[in-house]
Amino acid sequence: MSDSTTETTDTFALDFSTTPSPERRAAAEREEILADPGFGKHFTDHMASVEWTIDDGWHNASIHPYGPLSLDPSASVLHYAQEIFEGMKAYRHADGSIWSFRPDANARRFARSARRLALPELPESVFVESIRQLVAADQDWVPSAPETSLYLRPFMIATEAFLGVRAAHAVQYHCIASPAGAYFTSGPKPVSIWLSTQYARAARGGTGAAKTGGNYAASLLPQQEAYEHGCQQVMFLDSEKGEYLEELGGMNVVLVRSDGTLVTPDSDSILEGITRDSILQLALDRGLRVERRAVSLTEWRDGVADGTITEAFACGTAAVVTPIAELRGDGFTIGSPTTGAGELTMSLREELTDIQYGRRADPHGWMVRLTDPTSSAE
Ligand SMILES: *Cc1c(COP(=O)(O)O)cnc(C)c1O
């Protein structure tokens, strides 16, 4: 497998070795965590890892105990942010089986992000296998209460010990897993969004379309500004004209017109969300119209004023769909804090989560089964 000339993305396969954790949490402790997991606070007993070097390609795939990484202080990720990640979920269905949602789409986006960050592309088959193996090892960590899941965080970092500025010759891929509670405990609450006019998250030709930590680092200060203005999220505009909607720090944005048409920004500097793509597909299935194009702030403001834009929502894996009550900026407000969750917004949200949790047919074959209903890691 070390002969990189034999690697092709479709057929490449690696065997994962497994080292069970000697410190697996007892069932009682695990159940206590799963009863109120929050988000991103607790991690399962294992993780998946694969190494890459320029000479040997991808090798050394393993499932092993969750724990700290050992990095040379000169590792390039720590200095030049050569890093990418993904976010996805494993869902437990009523019969106990565990499923993931469009993992092939996450694998392809991971490869696109890798290309932009000059990282090696992890073959789609290895990406999906790492998830399958990790979830198999830690399947008891997939909660079963409504709207809960096991959040999966695959990521790749440049680990070469070298301060020179070039793409690293040594890289590590890891995937960790964290049980996630229901994002909204009493149904989705419409949020207020702060419009950042001073800062952009991504520029034309930059890394906005890649899922990489640097984009998030750039969004943290404006996100703080949003909190200071009593808003929960920040909206970014295009960096050139400051006229067109881009997205939130970690969620895409969709506007709904009074005739049911969904309108969403098309731009080279936003992250192509799989949640958004899926919601738009469900809308098309209903015979609704979908427009992916430049959407100006003025269009939103005028549309809300004259009643042609009736709903707005943000979407992404973590919260699925979050209704937007209002957009606030320096000296203006679009919508109002009392704007409720839109009807179409909520019905598309329900349809998508019904598919993800196996409560409704899956007409597009999006769900991929990860484990057998009767199997157990014990
Ligand atoms: C991950 C992410 C999204 C949402 O993508 P999903 O695939 O729907 O989870 C949107 N915007 C940014 C910046 C992201 O990083």
Side-chain angles (χ1 to χ4, degrees), residues 109 201 211 216 247-252 271 273-276 315-317:
R109 186 170 69 188
R201 91 172 252 290
K211 209 168 175 73
Y216 279 74
E247 60 172 322
L248 309 187
M251 281 189 273
N252 296 125
L271 197 281
I274 294 160
T275 312
R276 181 178 71 155
C315 52
T317 296

Side-chain angles (χ1 to χ4, degrees), residues 109-342:
R109 186 170 69 188
F110 198 56
R112 287 201 302 276
S113 297
R115 224 169 294 150
R116 181 62 184 86
L117 272 289
L119 284 162
E121 289 175 39
L122 184 72
E124 185 178 321
S125 56
V126 178
F127 179 95
V128 174
E129 187 61 15
S130 74
I131 279 150
R132 203 181 277 282
Q133 298 256 353
L134 178 58
V135 170
D138 285 333
Q139 55 187 277
D140 296 333
W141 285 92
V142 184
S144 52
E147 309 290 308
T148 61
S149 61
L150 183 65
Y151 184 80
L152 299 164
R153 170 53 62 86
F155 63 102
M156 195 194 296
I157 53 175
T159 52
E160 187 185 0
F162 178 53
L163 289 181
V165 180
R166 59 150 167 73
H169 291 173
V171 157
Q172 291 176 8
Y173 164 80
H174 302 283
C175 182
I176 56 176
S178 172
Y183 203 90
F184 302 102
T185 36
S186 51
K189 267 202 204 65
V191 295
S192 298
I193 309 273
W194 175 252
L195 180 74
S196 179
T197 43
Q198 190 180 352
Y199 304 106
R201 91 172 252 290
R204 186 157 65 89
T207 57
K211 209 168 175 73
T212 183
N215 295 336
Y216 279 74
S219 74
L220 298 180
L221 182 61
Q223 175 69 51
Q224 272 176 9
E225 197 178 88
Y227 291 144
E228 283 157 18
H229 287 89
C231 295
Q232 292 84 2
Q233 287 283 338
V234 61
M235 162 82 78
F236 294 100
L237 297 174
D238 77 280
S239 64
E240 260 176 296
K241 296 185 171 163
E243 218 174 283
Y244 296 96
L245 305 180
E246 292 259 301
E247 60 172 322
L248 309 187
M251 281 189 273
N252 296 125
V253 169
V254 178
L255 305 180
V256 181
R257 296 176 63 83
S258 53
D259 65 357
T261 301
L262 271 61
V263 184
T264 191
D266 184 33
S267 150
D268 293 341
S269 46
I270 67 177
L271 197 281
E272 297 274 336
I274 294 160
T275 312
R276 181 178 71 155
D277 183 70
S278 308
I279 296 254
L280 296 182
Q281 182 60 53
L282 295 177
L284 288 171
D285 294 348
R286 293 184 185 192
L288 299 174
R289 279 185 31 182
V290 165
E291 298 174 8
R292 299 172 192 250
R293 56 171 172 79
V295 185
S296 70
L297 185 61
T298 310
E299 176 177 346
W300 191 355
R301 184 188 289 146
D302 293 350
V304 169
D306 69 16
T308 52
I309 291 175
T310 46
E311 303 176 22
F313 63 89
C315 52
T317 296
V320 194
V321 166
T322 306
I324 298 175
E326 58 168 359
L327 178 71
R328 300 218 319 256
D330 246 342
F332 80 94
T333 302
I334 298 175
S336 88
T338 58
T339 305

